[in-house]
């Protein structure tokens, strides 16, 4: 049915990710911009992004939003347990960075709001993050 709908609209129905996502990832990475990828489950978005991140040589941080909490996020170094401190320490290292936030819509509203600030405003707790 979806193939017929797509054909009637004059667009291809994609059953997997590929060229469009790769072009978007390359453009976002080269211009140092955020990219929000949304689509049906099971088509390989996360796997494709992880593989792309490996090819860039950039430091990559993969976060699973549904299991995160900014109030008690455990990190492997002594900080106050805040999500922003964990991300700040990652961003302060030299070199290119990629942060992959998986399944953001399945997270708690508090976690989602904190992560969306980073994605949309490029800030953490109101502090600008460059790069």
């Amino acid at each position: 049915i979806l193939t017929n709908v797509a054909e009637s609209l004059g667009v291809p129905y994609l059953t997997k990710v590929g060229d469009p996502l790769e072009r978007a990832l390359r453009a976002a990475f080269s211009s140092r911009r955020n990219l929000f990828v949304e689509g049906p489950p099971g088509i390989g978005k996360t796997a494709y992004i992880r593989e792309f991140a490996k090819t860039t040589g950039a430091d990559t941080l993969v976060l699973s939003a549904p299991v995160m909490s900014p109030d008690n996020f455990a990190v492997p170094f002594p900080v106050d347990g805040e999500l922003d401190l964990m991300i700040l320490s990652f961003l302060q290292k030299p070199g290119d960075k990629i942060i992959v936030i998986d399944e953001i819509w399945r997270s708690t509203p508090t976690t989602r709001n904190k992560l969306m600030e980073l994605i949309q405003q490029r800030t953490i707790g109101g502090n600008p993050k460059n790069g």
Side-chain angles (χ1 to χ4, degrees), residues 98-117:
I98 294 176
I99 300 176
V100 178
I101 303 170
D102 196 20
E103 301 206 17
I104 195 166
W105 298 120
R106 291 185 52 219
S107 64
T108 65
T110 303
T111 299
R112 184 171 43 250
N113 290 341
K114 192 150 189 122
L115 293 171
M116 290 306 285
E117 177 191 356

Side-chain angles (χ1 to χ4, degrees), residues 18 23 25 52 62 81 85 89 92 106 113-115 129:
R23 286 193 307 269
L25 288 168
F52 172 81
V62 179
L85 295 177
S89 66
Q92 289 171 346
R106 291 185 52 219
N113 290 341
K114 192 150 189 122
L115 293 171
K129 300 298 140 228

Side-chain angles (χ1 to χ4, degrees), residues 2-131:
L2 293 176
T3 303
N4 292 338
V5 171
E7 287 175 1
S8 69
L9 295 172
V11 296
Y13 174 66
L14 301 177
T15 57
K16 62 182 177 72
V17 296
D19 289 340
L21 181 55
E22 182 176 355
R23 286 193 307 269
L25 288 168
R26 290 196 185 286
F29 185 73
S30 66
S31 64
R32 303 179 67 79
R33 307 309 291 163
N34 296 329
L35 178 65
F36 187 86
V37 177
E38 188 173 29
I43 62 172
K45 297 177 300 294
T46 301
Y48 198 91
I49 293 168
R50 285 177 188 242
E51 286 303 311
F52 172 81
K54 286 180 188 176
T55 68
T56 65
D59 288 332
T60 304
L61 176 63
V62 179
L63 304 172
S64 180
V67 297
M68 294 172 57
S69 169
D71 296 328
N72 62 7
F73 194 75
V75 294
F77 43 85
V79 296
D80 294 333
E82 292 292 325
L83 174 63
D84 56 352
L85 295 177
M86 192 273 300
I87 292 175
L88 280 172
S89 66
F90 174 76
L91 292 173
Q92 289 171 346
K93 296 177 186 175
D96 291 328
K97 309 282 181 283
I98 294 176
I99 300 176
V100 178
I101 303 170
D102 196 20
E103 301 206 17
I104 195 166
W105 298 120
R106 291 185 52 219
S107 64
T108 65
T110 303
T111 299
R112 184 171 43 250
N113 290 341
K114 192 150 189 122
L115 293 171
M116 290 306 285
E117 177 191 356
L118 176 63
I119 294 167
Q120 294 175 329
Q121 305 299 322
R122 297 176 69 98
T123 63
I124 297 176
N127 299 314
K129 300 298 140 228
N130 297 324

